[in-house]
Amino acid sequence: MRAPLSQSATRELPPTVGDGGKMAEVETRFQADFDASISASIKIEPTDWMPEGYRKTLIRQMSQHAHSEIVGQLPEANWITRAPSLKRKAILLAKVQDEAGHGLYLYSAAETLGTSREEMVADLLSGKAKYSSIFNYPTLTWADVGTIGWLVDGAAIINQIPLCRCSYGPYARAMMRICKEESFHQRQGFEIMMRLSNGTAKQKAMAQDALSRWWWPSLMMFGPPDVESANSAQSMKWGIKLFSNDELRQKFIDQTVPQADYLGLGIPDPELHWNNERGHYDFGPIDWDEFYNVIRGNGPCNHERLRVRRKADEDGAWFREALAAHAQKCASRDGLAAAQGAPC
């Protein structure tokens, strides 16, 4: 099989007037090579030819993923100054820093597709771009921090581990490191819940309350049902996504219910039960009206999350301008030194 054709290969055959047929033939060949690479699980790299729809889908997904990591710092950062001990404070601070790093990895990976970080951030701040609906819920108690680590990061791991094998190279490589760190976050959250569940009656009640509030939003993290998902089928065809929303959601439930049993906590779903025939847990209906309402910007914390991000962007404007001015000054100085034959 031929290696994937480079984007630059199109310049070897410049279009001329009346040459539409030739360009169509080249486009067909590029598409065939792209399809062959996807079928053979060969990674698509930034310099490879790719359909415009593939590129746009990746930019949308990767930028939304990056936005989710950045906005996802906010619910837990709310508890940095109120963590119950210095050790817990240090661990939570490190976790929030990890999430910021994940956002940077993903913004950098998305930039390989021709977009800019400034464009992506502008789309977030304007409300044009979305982020995970789960981060529009409040963290009311310390148990919420544990539940986010256990459930939210646990759901994220199930969503993200397959992305380590997705068809776009930079995205897959970024996810390898992110998943390792998210795995630690999930274990840390479960440890908090285990401490609370084995603590006083009040602490266990706090853990149960947090689980009851975060359970259904966590199931919504996997996206709408497959029959309502507008992008899943094409993303799976392109190898961006390897499993459907419903498959990932089922895997999360099957994995998490025994963990809740171990903690002695109850899942807030009266219809939840093990189905021997299917080999999976059956569960009750999800309130998709709530999901779409949050997506439309009407969740408990949507406005607050964007307000904080906009303020952070405004407060940091002077620093970004200073960095740009310094970089320009260094470039001018190095250019002058090179012109004079002096070492840079």
Side-chain angles (χ1 to χ4, degrees):
M1 185 188 73
R2 290 191 300 268
L5 291 174
S6 168
Q7 295 275 19
S8 62
T10 58
R11 292 194 287 270
E12 298 174 7
L13 295 169
T16 59
V17 177
D19 203 20
K22 189 172 186 179
M23 291 307 296
E25 181 181 340
V26 171
E27 184 84 8
T28 299
R29 180 189 167 197
F30 282 14
Q31 182 68 59
D33 283 353
F34 172 85
D35 293 341
S37 295
I38 296 296
S39 297
S41 298
I42 296 173
K43 291 287 186 282
I44 305 299
E45 299 296 341
T47 56
D48 296 336
W49 183 91
M50 63 188 73
E52 184 63 12
Y54 178 83
R55 188 184 74 85
K56 288 183 176 179
T57 296
L58 279 169
I59 290 175
R60 176 187 56 79
Q61 179 170 328
M62 293 165 69
S63 63
Q64 289 183 7
H65 193 166
H67 300 331
S68 298
E69 298 286 355
I70 298 301
V71 177
Q73 299 173 95
L74 301 179
E76 292 175 298
N78 180 45
W79 278 90
I80 289 176
T81 60
R82 297 183 289 163
S85 69
L86 181 60
K87 177 182 177 181
R88 293 292 186 191
K89 187 188 298 270
I91 293 172
L92 184 57
L93 183 60
K95 180 186 178 184
V96 170
Q97 290 175 321
D98 282 349
E99 305 297 359
H102 299 171
L104 295 180
Y105 302 154
L106 292 163
Y107 281 135
S108 295
E111 285 178 313
T112 65
L113 291 161
T115 189
S116 70
R117 193 166 310 189
E118 291 75 16
E119 289 177 291
M120 290 184 280
V121 172
D123 285 345
L124 169 65
L125 299 182
S126 70
K128 178 181 177 181
K130 304 298 182 184
Y131 54 88
S132 179
S133 62
I134 193 72
F135 300 120
N136 290 311
Y137 292 86
T139 45
L140 304 179
T141 69
W142 175 248
D144 288 45
V145 175
T147 305
I148 288 175
W150 172 37
L151 296 184
V152 176
D153 292 332
I157 291 168
I158 287 177
N159 252 328
Q160 294 172 8
I161 284 178
L163 292 174
C164 296
R165 295 182 283 125
C166 81
S167 60
Y168 188 59
Y171 196 13
R173 290 188 287 273
M175 291 313 305
M176 289 180 185
R177 178 167 180 173
I178 290 173
C179 285
K180 290 178 182 177
E181 293 178 352
E182 292 289 4
S183 179
F184 170 77
H185 298 168
Q186 195 270 345
R187 291 196 296 272
Q188 181 254 347
F190 186 80
E191 192 268 341
I192 291 176
M193 296 299 284
M194 189 161 59
R195 289 293 185 95
L196 292 173
S197 298
N198 291 314
T200 65
K202 187 175 181 180
Q203 287 174 322
K204 185 168 185 177
M206 183 193 303
Q208 180 62 65
D209 174 67
L211 169 57
S212 297
R213 285 184 287 107
W214 287 90
W215 175 253
W216 293 106
S218 296
L219 298 189
M220 298 174 194
M221 283 182 66
F222 298 96
D226 294 340
V227 294
E228 297 179 15
S229 180
N231 302 303
S232 287
Q234 184 60 66
S235 291
M236 292 180 72
K237 181 179 178 181
W238 279 330
I240 299 172
K241 190 170 185 174
L242 303 184
F243 300 97
S244 73
N245 295 351
D246 290 337
E247 288 174 323
L248 293 169
R249 188 170 12 254
Q250 184 69 67
K251 184 175 181 180
F252 172 74
I253 292 171
D254 291 347
Q255 171 182 293
T256 308
V257 171
Q259 295 172 359
D261 290 343
Y262 180 81
L263 294 173
L265 301 177
I267 299 292
D269 180 359
E271 298 182 36
L272 182 74
H273 67 277
W274 179 257
N275 186 320
N276 281 321
E277 291 185 9
R278 294 199 313 120
H280 297 287
Y281 282 96
D282 289 341
F283 54 96
I286 297 172
D287 184 358
W288 292 112
D289 288 340
E290 176 184 337
F291 171 76
Y292 288 116
N293 193 47
V294 174
I295 290 294
R296 286 192 291 267
N298 300 317
C301 298
N302 291 64
H303 297 293
E304 173 65 11
R305 299 291 184 245
L306 283 182
R307 185 194 67 78
V308 171
R309 289 309 311 154
R310 287 170 183 148
K311 185 176 186 302
D313 186 70
E314 292 168 2
D315 291 347
W318 69 271
F319 186 68
R320 294 192 300 275
E321 292 169 3
L323 286 177
H326 178 69
Q328 186 177 11
K329 181 179 179 180
C330 290
S332 298
R333 183 182 59 203
D334 292 346
L336 179 62
Q340 295 174 345
C344 297

